[in-house]
Amino acid sequence: DTAVSQTPKYLVTQMGNDKSIKCEQNLGHDTMYWYKQDSKKFLKIMFSYNNKELIINETVPNRFSPKSPDKAHLNLHINSLELGDSAVYFCASSPSRNSYGYTFGSGTRLTVV
Amino acid sequence: AQSVTQLDSQVPVFEEAPVELRCNYSSSVSVYLFWYVQYPNQGLQLLLKYLSGSTLVKGINGFEAEFNKSQTSFHLRKPSVHISDTAEYFCAVPQGGSEKLVFGKGTKLTVNP
């Protein structure tokens, strides 16, 4: 069983489309995150949820909307995709808010053409 | 805000040679420090962490790191590397006053035969 699973693994889409990335963790963790990794491998946090409550919302365009239906799931919906959104998006989870031993998913490579 | 600087973007070494990947952090107040590894086309995996106590921290896969408060460093070392250690290595620190983990820009370790 994969601890943190993301789907899809690859996503190729045209500019202007709307897409979603799903994330599920089976570790019983309370906190989940979305990170964006650019082409230079730089990792930047986008959002964090603790027990379905949004606790971190970085300076991210409002075209990005996270949703956490329960503490095991954190999905990312992106509207009106732009070329600059192309990146690898990682979901991660941790036992609690101040526990930094994250478990990462394997990533979703988004390519906007 | 606390941050980390990884001084080398690329480190090529030969198999069975020792390696040191350098990381300096920005604050002298109490810090937690982490090293993560990202193998090609995978998510990040926790290698080791320093929270408190002994300044020499041992991690997985034979890696260790030493917390040095006077030099504000947390360098990662391995006495003898394998081809399979080829990966991107990230140093990370929680950003002071917030709950987010901030990553360095990464060091690409390439182990050559």
Side-chain angles (χ1 to χ4, degrees), chain A residues 46-79:
Chain A
M46 301 173 71
F47 302 102
S48 171
Y49 271 73
N50 185 71
N51 235 333
K52 303 194 298 175
E53 177 190 355
L54 179 66
I55 55 172
I56 294 174
N57 185 348
E58 287 294 283
T59 309
V60 175
N62 58 15
R63 298 182 295 104
F64 290 79
S65 53
K67 285 196 170 47
S68 181
D70 55 60
K71 76 171 193 177
H73 294 84
L74 180 61
N75 304 322
L76 183 65
H77 188 76
I78 316 169
N79 289 327

PDB file of all heavy atoms in Angstrom, chain A residues 46-79:
ATOM      1  N   MET A  46       2.638  25.418  -1.141  1.00  0.00           N
ATOM      2  CA  MET A  46       1.481  26.137  -1.645  1.00  0.00           C
ATOM      3  C   MET A  46       0.400  26.213  -0.558  1.00  0.00           C
ATOM      4  O   MET A  46      -0.101  27.277  -0.226  1.00  0.00           O
ATOM      5  CB  MET A  46       0.924  25.417  -2.868  1.00  0.00           C
ATOM      6  CG  MET A  46       1.900  25.282  -4.012  1.00  0.00           C
ATOM      7  SD  MET A  46       1.254  24.254  -5.321  1.00  0.00           S
ATOM      8  CE  MET A  46      -0.013  25.317  -5.999  1.00  0.00           C
ATOM      9  N   PHE A  47       0.030  25.053  -0.048  1.00  0.00           N
ATOM     10  CA  PHE A  47      -1.065  24.974   0.921  1.00  0.00           C
ATOM     11  C   PHE A  47      -0.754  23.914   1.976  1.00  0.00           C
ATOM     12  O   PHE A  47       0.007  22.981   1.735  1.00  0.00           O
ATOM     13  CB  PHE A  47      -2.375  24.563   0.246  1.00  0.00           C
ATOM     14  CG  PHE A  47      -2.828  25.467  -0.862  1.00  0.00           C
ATOM     15  CD1 PHE A  47      -2.652  25.104  -2.184  1.00  0.00           C
ATOM     16  CD2 PHE A  47      -3.444  26.681  -0.578  1.00  0.00           C
ATOM     17  CE1 PHE A  47      -3.067  25.928  -3.211  1.00  0.00           C
ATOM     18  CE2 PHE A  47      -3.864  27.514  -1.600  1.00  0.00           C
ATOM     19  CZ  PHE A  47      -3.676  27.138  -2.918  1.00  0.00           C
ATOM     20  N   SER A  48      -1.419  24.116   3.134  1.00  0.00           N
ATOM     21  CA  SER A  48      -1.385  23.087   4.159  1.00  0.00           C
ATOM     22  C   SER A  48      -2.743  23.008   4.821  1.00  0.00           C
ATOM     23  O   SER A  48      -3.375  24.043   5.084  1.00  0.00           O
ATOM     24  CB  SER A  48      -0.306  23.415   5.194  1.00  0.00           C
ATOM     25  OG  SER A  48      -0.411  22.532   6.288  1.00  0.00           O
ATOM     26  N   TYR A  49      -3.169  21.796   5.089  1.00  0.00           N
ATOM     27  CA  TYR A  49      -4.425  21.560   5.792  1.00  0.00           C
ATOM     28  C   TYR A  49      -4.140  20.715   7.022  1.00  0.00           C
ATOM     29  O   TYR A  49      -3.354  19.774   6.968  1.00  0.00           O
ATOM     30  CB  TYR A  49      -5.412  20.796   4.913  1.00  0.00           C
ATOM     31  CG  TYR A  49      -6.294  21.666   4.055  1.00  0.00           C
ATOM     32  CD1 TYR A  49      -5.774  22.327   2.948  1.00  0.00           C
ATOM     33  CD2 TYR A  49      -7.632  21.835   4.352  1.00  0.00           C
ATOM     34  CE1 TYR A  49      -6.568  23.132   2.165  1.00  0.00           C
ATOM     35  CE2 TYR A  49      -8.454  22.637   3.566  1.00  0.00           C
ATOM     36  CZ  TYR A  49      -7.916  23.283   2.465  1.00  0.00           C
ATOM     37  OH  TYR A  49      -8.710  24.069   1.685  1.00  0.00           O
ATOM     38  N   ASN A  50      -4.821  21.052   8.117  1.00  0.00           N
ATOM     39  CA  ASN A  50      -4.754  20.222   9.302  1.00  0.00           C
ATOM     40  C   ASN A  50      -6.166  19.791   9.666  1.00  0.00           C
ATOM     41  O   ASN A  50      -7.010  20.639   9.956  1.00  0.00           O
ATOM     42  CB  ASN A  50      -4.117  20.983  10.462  1.00  0.00           C
ATOM     43  CG  ASN A  50      -3.921  20.093  11.678  1.00  0.00           C
ATOM     44  OD1 ASN A  50      -3.063  19.213  11.674  1.00  0.00           O
ATOM     45  ND2 ASN A  50      -4.714  20.307  12.713  1.00  0.00           N
ATOM     46  N   ASN A  51      -6.409  18.503   9.602  1.00  0.00           N
ATOM     47  CA  ASN A  51      -7.741  17.995   9.931  1.00  0.00           C
ATOM     48  C   ASN A  51      -8.842  18.738   9.173  1.00  0.00           C
ATOM     49  O   ASN A  51      -9.824  19.200   9.769  1.00  0.00           O
ATOM     50  CB  ASN A  51      -7.994  18.132  11.428  1.00  0.00           C
ATOM     51  CG  ASN A  51      -8.375  16.808  12.036  1.00  0.00           C
ATOM     52  OD1 ASN A  51      -8.912  15.931  11.374  1.00  0.00           O
ATOM     53  ND2 ASN A  51      -8.089  16.666  13.311  1.00  0.00           N
ATOM     54  N   LYS A  52      -8.649  18.884   7.902  1.00  0.00           N
ATOM     55  CA  LYS A  52      -9.595  19.513   6.974  1.00  0.00           C
ATOM     56  C   LYS A  52      -9.623  21.037   7.062  1.00  0.00           C
ATOM     57  O   LYS A  52     -10.365  21.683   6.327  1.00  0.00           O
ATOM     58  CB  LYS A  52     -11.020  18.984   7.148  1.00  0.00           C
ATOM     59  CG  LYS A  52     -11.178  17.490   6.995  1.00  0.00           C
ATOM     60  CD  LYS A  52     -12.635  17.081   6.835  1.00  0.00           C
ATOM     61  CE  LYS A  52     -13.458  17.449   8.053  1.00  0.00           C
ATOM     62  NZ  LYS A  52     -14.899  17.154   7.857  1.00  0.00           N
ATOM     63  N   GLU A  53      -8.818  21.624   7.941  1.00  0.00           N
ATOM     64  CA  GLU A  53      -8.824  23.073   8.081  1.00  0.00           C
ATOM     65  C   GLU A  53      -7.608  23.674   7.390  1.00  0.00           C
ATOM     66  O   GLU A  53      -6.471  23.235   7.617  1.00  0.00           O
ATOM     67  CB  GLU A  53      -8.809  23.452   9.559  1.00  0.00           C
ATOM     68  CG  GLU A  53      -8.750  24.939   9.822  1.00  0.00           C
ATOM     69  CD  GLU A  53      -8.489  25.260  11.281  1.00  0.00           C
ATOM     70  OE1 GLU A  53      -8.457  24.316  12.102  1.00  0.00           O
ATOM     71  OE2 GLU A  53      -8.302  26.442  11.590  1.00  0.00           O
ATOM     72  N   LEU A  54      -7.811  24.693   6.559  1.00  0.00           N
ATOM     73  CA  LEU A  54      -6.714  25.349   5.873  1.00  0.00           C
ATOM     74  C   LEU A  54      -5.870  26.127   6.875  1.00  0.00           C
ATOM     75  O   LEU A  54      -6.383  26.970   7.603  1.00  0.00           O
ATOM     76  CB  LEU A  54      -7.266  26.304   4.806  1.00  0.00           C
ATOM     77  CG  LEU A  54      -6.240  27.096   4.001  1.00  0.00           C
ATOM     78  CD1 LEU A  54      -5.398  26.173   3.118  1.00  0.00           C
ATOM     79  CD2 LEU A  54      -6.934  28.162   3.152  1.00  0.00           C
ATOM     80  N   ILE A  55      -4.554  25.859   6.916  1.00  0.00           N
ATOM     81  CA  ILE A  55      -3.690  26.572   7.857  1.00  0.00           C
ATOM     82  C   ILE A  55      -2.569  27.341   7.169  1.00  0.00           C
ATOM     83  O   ILE A  55      -2.018  28.266   7.742  1.00  0.00           O
ATOM     84  CB  ILE A  55      -3.099  25.628   8.932  1.00  0.00           C
ATOM     85  CG1 ILE A  55      -2.355  24.441   8.317  1.00  0.00           C
ATOM     86  CG2 ILE A  55      -4.186  25.129   9.853  1.00  0.00           C
ATOM     87  CD1 ILE A  55      -1.606  23.605   9.341  1.00  0.00           C
ATOM     88  N   ILE A  56      -2.193  26.954   5.986  1.00  0.00           N
ATOM     89  CA  ILE A  56      -1.201  27.705   5.222  1.00  0.00           C
ATOM     90  C   ILE A  56      -1.754  27.924   3.821  1.00  0.00           C
ATOM     91  O   ILE A  56      -2.180  26.994   3.153  1.00  0.00           O
ATOM     92  CB  ILE A  56       0.155  26.978   5.124  1.00  0.00           C
ATOM     93  CG1 ILE A  56       0.810  26.863   6.497  1.00  0.00           C
ATOM     94  CG2 ILE A  56       1.095  27.699   4.161  1.00  0.00           C
ATOM     95  CD1 ILE A  56       2.081  26.032   6.495  1.00  0.00           C
ATOM     96  N   ASN A  57      -1.722  29.188   3.403  1.00  0.00           N
ATOM     97  CA  ASN A  57      -2.122  29.523   2.050  1.00  0.00           C
ATOM     98  C   ASN A  57      -1.096  30.533   1.559  1.00  0.00           C
ATOM     99  O   ASN A  57      -1.168  31.712   1.887  1.00  0.00           O
ATOM    100  CB  ASN A  57      -3.536  30.106   2.049  1.00  0.00           C
ATOM    101  CG  ASN A  57      -4.034  30.360   0.636  1.00  0.00           C
ATOM    102  OD1 ASN A  57      -3.275  30.307  -0.319  1.00  0.00           O
ATOM    103  ND2 ASN A  57      -5.310  30.642   0.511  1.00  0.00           N
ATOM    104  N   GLU A  58      -0.103  30.052   0.835  1.00  0.00           N
ATOM    105  CA  GLU A  58       0.964  30.925   0.358  1.00  0.00           C
ATOM    106  C   GLU A  58       0.432  31.828  -0.745  1.00  0.00           C
ATOM    107  O   GLU A  58      -0.721  31.729  -1.153  1.00  0.00           O
ATOM    108  CB  GLU A  58       2.131  30.091  -0.152  1.00  0.00           C
ATOM    109  CG  GLU A  58       2.915  29.446   0.967  1.00  0.00           C
ATOM    110  CD  GLU A  58       3.632  30.454   1.829  1.00  0.00           C
ATOM    111  OE1 GLU A  58       4.683  30.989   1.409  1.00  0.00           O
ATOM    112  OE2 GLU A  58       3.157  30.733   2.955  1.00  0.00           O
ATOM    113  N   THR A  59       1.296  32.692  -1.225  1.00  0.00           N
ATOM    114  CA  THR A  59       0.899  33.607  -2.291  1.00  0.00           C
ATOM    115  C   THR A  59       0.769  32.811  -3.582  1.00  0.00           C
ATOM    116  O   THR A  59       1.696  32.709  -4.378  1.00  0.00           O
ATOM    117  CB  THR A  59       1.943  34.722  -2.456  1.00  0.00           C
ATOM    118  OG1 THR A  59       2.198  35.304  -1.191  1.00  0.00           O
ATOM    119  CG2 THR A  59       1.434  35.778  -3.420  1.00  0.00           C
ATOM    120  N   VAL A  60      -0.396  32.233  -3.738  1.00  0.00           N
ATOM    121  CA  VAL A  60      -0.669  31.375  -4.879  1.00  0.00           C
ATOM    122  C   VAL A  60      -1.847  32.001  -5.623  1.00  0.00           C
ATOM    123  O   VAL A  60      -2.787  32.468  -4.986  1.00  0.00           O
ATOM    124  CB  VAL A  60      -1.032  29.955  -4.390  1.00  0.00           C
ATOM    125  CG1 VAL A  60      -1.431  29.074  -5.551  1.00  0.00           C
ATOM    126  CG2 VAL A  60       0.133  29.340  -3.635  1.00  0.00           C
ATOM    127  N   PRO A  61      -1.801  32.046  -6.961  1.00  0.00           N
ATOM    128  CA  PRO A  61      -2.962  32.594  -7.681  1.00  0.00           C
ATOM    129  C   PRO A  61      -4.251  31.916  -7.266  1.00  0.00           C
ATOM    130  O   PRO A  61      -4.265  30.699  -6.989  1.00  0.00           O
ATOM    131  CB  PRO A  61      -2.614  32.290  -9.151  1.00  0.00           C
ATOM    132  CG  PRO A  61      -1.142  32.157  -9.195  1.00  0.00           C
ATOM    133  CD  PRO A  61      -0.730  31.601  -7.866  1.00  0.00           C
ATOM    134  N   ASN A  62      -5.333  32.670  -7.213  1.00  0.00           N
ATOM    135  CA  ASN A  62      -6.588  32.057  -6.761  1.00  0.00           C
ATOM    136  C   ASN A  62      -7.183  31.109  -7.786  1.00  0.00           C
ATOM    137  O   ASN A  62      -8.273  30.567  -7.582  1.00  0.00           O
ATOM    138  CB  ASN A  62      -7.596  33.129  -6.324  1.00  0.00           C
ATOM    139  CG  ASN A  62      -7.896  34.113  -7.438  1.00  0.00           C
ATOM    140  OD1 ASN A  62      -7.591  33.858  -8.593  1.00  0.00           O
ATOM    141  ND2 ASN A  62      -8.484  35.238  -7.086  1.00  0.00           N
ATOM    142  N   ARG A  63      -6.469  30.890  -8.878  1.00  0.00           N
ATOM    143  CA  ARG A  63      -6.868  29.817  -9.811  1.00  0.00           C
ATOM    144  C   ARG A  63      -6.613  28.444  -9.185  1.00  0.00           C
ATOM    145  O   ARG A  63      -7.163  27.444  -9.653  1.00  0.00           O
ATOM    146  CB  ARG A  63      -6.057  29.918 -11.116  1.00  0.00           C
ATOM    147  CG  ARG A  63      -6.271  31.199 -11.897  1.00  0.00           C
ATOM    148  CD  ARG A  63      -5.466  31.207 -13.187  1.00  0.00           C
ATOM    149  NE  ARG A  63      -4.024  31.211 -12.959  1.00  0.00           N
ATOM    150  CZ  ARG A  63      -3.248  30.146 -13.107  1.00  0.00           C
ATOM    151  NH1 ARG A  63      -3.758  28.975 -13.468  1.00  0.00           N
ATOM    152  NH2 ARG A  63      -1.950  30.251 -12.892  1.00  0.00           N
ATOM    153  N   PHE A  64      -5.783  28.424  -8.145  1.00  0.00           N
ATOM    154  CA  PHE A  64      -5.486  27.173  -7.442  1.00  0.00           C
ATOM    155  C   PHE A  64      -6.400  27.081  -6.230  1.00  0.00           C
ATOM    156  O   PHE A  64      -6.397  27.975  -5.381  1.00  0.00           O
ATOM    157  CB  PHE A  64      -4.030  27.148  -6.974  1.00  0.00           C
ATOM    158  CG  PHE A  64      -3.043  27.016  -8.089  1.00  0.00           C
ATOM    159  CD1 PHE A  64      -2.696  28.117  -8.865  1.00  0.00           C
ATOM    160  CD2 PHE A  64      -2.448  25.802  -8.362  1.00  0.00           C
ATOM    161  CE1 PHE A  64      -1.779  27.994  -9.907  1.00  0.00           C
ATOM    162  CE2 PHE A  64      -1.521  25.670  -9.389  1.00  0.00           C
ATOM    163  CZ  PHE A  64      -1.190  26.769 -10.165  1.00  0.00           C
ATOM    164  N   SER A  65      -7.149  26.006  -6.135  1.00  0.00           N
ATOM    165  CA  SER A  65      -8.026  25.847  -4.982  1.00  0.00           C
ATOM    166  C   SER A  65      -7.882  24.430  -4.417  1.00  0.00           C
ATOM    167  O   SER A  65      -8.194  23.452  -5.096  1.00  0.00           O
ATOM    168  CB  SER A  65      -9.475  26.148  -5.340  1.00  0.00           C
ATOM    169  OG  SER A  65      -9.873  25.383  -6.448  1.00  0.00           O
ATOM    170  N   PRO A  66      -7.411  24.350  -3.180  1.00  0.00           N
ATOM    171  CA  PRO A  66      -7.329  23.045  -2.527  1.00  0.00           C
ATOM    172  C   PRO A  66      -8.667  22.700  -1.897  1.00  0.00           C
ATOM    173  O   PRO A  66      -9.447  23.587  -1.546  1.00  0.00           O
ATOM    174  CB  PRO A  66      -6.274  23.275  -1.447  1.00  0.00           C
ATOM    175  CG  PRO A  66      -6.418  24.718  -1.105  1.00  0.00           C
ATOM    176  CD  PRO A  66      -6.900  25.431  -2.335  1.00  0.00           C
ATOM    177  N   LYS A  67      -8.893  21.389  -1.765  1.00  0.00           N
ATOM    178  CA  LYS A  67     -10.109  20.938  -1.075  1.00  0.00           C
ATOM    179  C   LYS A  67      -9.768  19.686  -0.283  1.00  0.00           C
ATOM    180  O   LYS A  67      -9.149  18.762  -0.807  1.00  0.00           O
ATOM    181  CB  LYS A  67     -11.224  20.660  -2.069  1.00  0.00           C
ATOM    182  CG  LYS A  67     -11.872  21.908  -2.632  1.00  0.00           C
ATOM    183  CD  LYS A  67     -13.192  21.652  -3.293  1.00  0.00           C
ATOM    184  CE  LYS A  67     -13.929  22.934  -3.642  1.00  0.00           C
ATOM    185  NZ  LYS A  67     -13.089  23.942  -4.299  1.00  0.00           N
ATOM    186  N   SER A  68     -10.210  19.665   0.955  1.00  0.00           N
ATOM    187  CA  SER A  68      -9.939  18.515   1.819  1.00  0.00           C
ATOM    188  C   SER A  68     -11.265  17.969   2.330  1.00  0.00           C
ATOM    189  O   SER A  68     -11.794  18.458   3.328  1.00  0.00           O
ATOM    190  CB  SER A  68      -9.034  18.939   2.984  1.00  0.00           C
ATOM    191  OG  SER A  68      -8.740  17.836   3.815  1.00  0.00           O
ATOM    192  N   PRO A  69     -11.803  16.944   1.681  1.00  0.00           N
ATOM    193  CA  PRO A  69     -13.089  16.396   2.114  1.00  0.00           C
ATOM    194  C   PRO A  69     -12.998  15.670   3.459  1.00  0.00           C
ATOM    195  O   PRO A  69     -13.987  15.598   4.196  1.00  0.00           O
ATOM    196  CB  PRO A  69     -13.460  15.425   0.990  1.00  0.00           C
ATOM    197  CG  PRO A  69     -12.167  15.109   0.312  1.00  0.00           C
ATOM    198  CD  PRO A  69     -11.287  16.293   0.472  1.00  0.00           C
ATOM    199  N   ASP A  70     -11.832  15.132   3.759  1.00  0.00           N
ATOM    200  CA  ASP A  70     -11.567  14.523   5.056  1.00  0.00           C
ATOM    201  C   ASP A  70     -10.065  14.559   5.271  1.00  0.00           C
ATOM    202  O   ASP A  70      -9.320  14.911   4.361  1.00  0.00           O
ATOM    203  CB  ASP A  70     -12.110  13.081   5.136  1.00  0.00           C
ATOM    204  CG  ASP A  70     -11.577  12.194   4.027  1.00  0.00           C
ATOM    205  OD1 ASP A  70     -10.347  12.025   3.946  1.00  0.00           O
ATOM    206  OD2 ASP A  70     -12.388  11.716   3.213  1.00  0.00           O
ATOM    207  N   LYS A  71      -9.609  14.177   6.447  1.00  0.00           N
ATOM    208  CA  LYS A  71      -8.189  14.414   6.748  1.00  0.00           C
ATOM    209  C   LYS A  71      -7.260  13.489   5.971  1.00  0.00           C
ATOM    210  O   LYS A  71      -6.067  13.686   5.964  1.00  0.00           O
ATOM    211  CB  LYS A  71      -7.931  14.330   8.249  1.00  0.00           C
ATOM    212  CG  LYS A  71      -7.903  12.949   8.844  1.00  0.00           C
ATOM    213  CD  LYS A  71      -7.423  13.027  10.294  1.00  0.00           C
ATOM    214  CE  LYS A  71      -7.079  11.646  10.821  1.00  0.00           C
ATOM    215  NZ  LYS A  71      -6.540  11.695  12.201  1.00  0.00           N
ATOM    216  N   ALA A  72      -7.810  12.491   5.307  1.00  0.00           N
ATOM    217  CA  ALA A  72      -6.979  11.584   4.513  1.00  0.00           C
ATOM    218  C   ALA A  72      -6.836  12.029   3.065  1.00  0.00           C
ATOM    219  O   ALA A  72      -6.068  11.433   2.309  1.00  0.00           O
ATOM    220  CB  ALA A  72      -7.552  10.174   4.565  1.00  0.00           C
ATOM    221  N   HIS A  73      -7.554  13.053   2.677  1.00  0.00           N
ATOM    222  CA  HIS A  73      -7.553  13.481   1.276  1.00  0.00           C
ATOM    223  C   HIS A  73      -7.314  14.991   1.174  1.00  0.00           C
ATOM    224  O   HIS A  73      -7.888  15.771   1.942  1.00  0.00           O
ATOM    225  CB  HIS A  73      -8.891  13.152   0.605  1.00  0.00           C
ATOM    226  CG  HIS A  73      -9.162  11.693   0.484  1.00  0.00           C
ATOM    227  ND1 HIS A  73      -9.708  10.948   1.526  1.00  0.00           N
ATOM    228  CD2 HIS A  73      -8.928  10.811  -0.541  1.00  0.00           C
ATOM    229  CE1 HIS A  73      -9.826   9.680   1.127  1.00  0.00           C
ATOM    230  NE2 HIS A  73      -9.369   9.573  -0.106  1.00  0.00           N
ATOM    231  N   LEU A  74      -6.480  15.343   0.202  1.00  0.00           N
ATOM    232  CA  LEU A  74      -6.274  16.755  -0.112  1.00  0.00           C
ATOM    233  C   LEU A  74      -6.115  16.858  -1.622  1.00  0.00           C
ATOM    234  O   LEU A  74      -5.133  16.385  -2.180  1.00  0.00           O
ATOM    235  CB  LEU A  74      -5.043  17.327   0.592  1.00  0.00           C
ATOM    236  CG  LEU A  74      -4.751  18.806   0.309  1.00  0.00           C
ATOM    237  CD1 LEU A  74      -5.915  19.680   0.772  1.00  0.00           C
ATOM    238  CD2 LEU A  74      -3.456  19.246   0.982  1.00  0.00           C
ATOM    239  N   ASN A  75      -7.100  17.460  -2.256  1.00  0.00           N
ATOM    240  CA  ASN A  75      -7.095  17.577  -3.710  1.00  0.00           C
ATOM    241  C   ASN A  75      -6.728  18.994  -4.105  1.00  0.00           C
ATOM    242  O   ASN A  75      -6.896  19.948  -3.328  1.00  0.00           O
ATOM    243  CB  ASN A  75      -8.457  17.188  -4.267  1.00  0.00           C
ATOM    244  CG  ASN A  75      -8.870  15.783  -3.831  1.00  0.00           C
ATOM    245  OD1 ASN A  75      -8.033  14.883  -3.755  1.00  0.00           O
ATOM    246  ND2 ASN A  75     -10.150  15.616  -3.532  1.00  0.00           N
ATOM    247  N   LEU A  76      -6.222  19.127  -5.318  1.00  0.00           N
ATOM    248  CA  LEU A  76      -5.833  20.442  -5.828  1.00  0.00           C
ATOM    249  C   LEU A  76      -6.511  20.659  -7.163  1.00  0.00           C
ATOM    250  O   LEU A  76      -6.311  19.882  -8.097  1.00  0.00           O
ATOM    251  CB  LEU A  76      -4.308  20.522  -5.984  1.00  0.00           C
ATOM    252  CG  LEU A  76      -3.735  21.868  -6.437  1.00  0.00           C
ATOM    253  CD1 LEU A  76      -3.976  22.936  -5.381  1.00  0.00           C
ATOM    254  CD2 LEU A  76      -2.241  21.738  -6.718  1.00  0.00           C
ATOM    255  N   HIS A  77      -7.324  21.702  -7.236  1.00  0.00           N
ATOM    256  CA  HIS A  77      -7.993  22.030  -8.480  1.00  0.00           C
ATOM    257  C   HIS A  77      -7.371  23.296  -9.058  1.00  0.00           C
ATOM    258  O   HIS A  77      -7.112  24.252  -8.320  1.00  0.00           O
ATOM    259  CB  HIS A  77      -9.493  22.247  -8.242  1.00  0.00           C
ATOM    260  CG  HIS A  77     -10.254  22.400  -9.516  1.00  0.00           C
ATOM    261  ND1 HIS A  77     -10.557  21.334 -10.323  1.00  0.00           N
ATOM    262  CD2 HIS A  77     -10.757  23.504 -10.121  1.00  0.00           C
ATOM    263  CE1 HIS A  77     -11.215  21.763 -11.393  1.00  0.00           C
ATOM    264  NE2 HIS A  77     -11.352  23.077 -11.289  1.00  0.00           N
ATOM    265  N   ILE A  78      -7.113  23.265 -10.345  1.00  0.00           N
ATOM    266  CA  ILE A  78      -6.487  24.414 -10.993  1.00  0.00           C
ATOM    267  C   ILE A  78      -7.358  24.861 -12.162  1.00  0.00           C
ATOM    268  O   ILE A  78      -7.656  24.069 -13.068  1.00  0.00           O
ATOM    269  CB  ILE A  78      -5.068  24.093 -11.524  1.00  0.00           C
ATOM    270  CG1 ILE A  78      -4.267  23.282 -10.492  1.00  0.00           C
ATOM    271  CG2 ILE A  78      -4.332  25.383 -11.879  1.00  0.00           C
ATOM    272  CD1 ILE A  78      -2.971  22.708 -11.021  1.00  0.00           C
ATOM    273  N   ASN A  79      -7.783  26.114 -12.115  1.00  0.00           N
ATOM    274  CA  ASN A  79      -8.600  26.680 -13.197  1.00  0.00           C
ATOM    275  C   ASN A  79      -7.732  27.437 -14.194  1.00  0.00           C
ATOM    276  O   ASN A  79      -6.664  27.948 -13.859  1.00  0.00           O
ATOM    277  CB  ASN A  79      -9.623  27.669 -12.611  1.00  0.00           C
ATOM    278  CG  ASN A  79     -10.705  26.973 -11.835  1.00  0.00           C
ATOM    279  OD1 ASN A  79     -11.105  25.865 -12.160  1.00  0.00           O
ATOM    280  ND2 ASN A  79     -11.173  27.628 -10.783  1.00  0.00           N
TER     281      ASN A  79
END
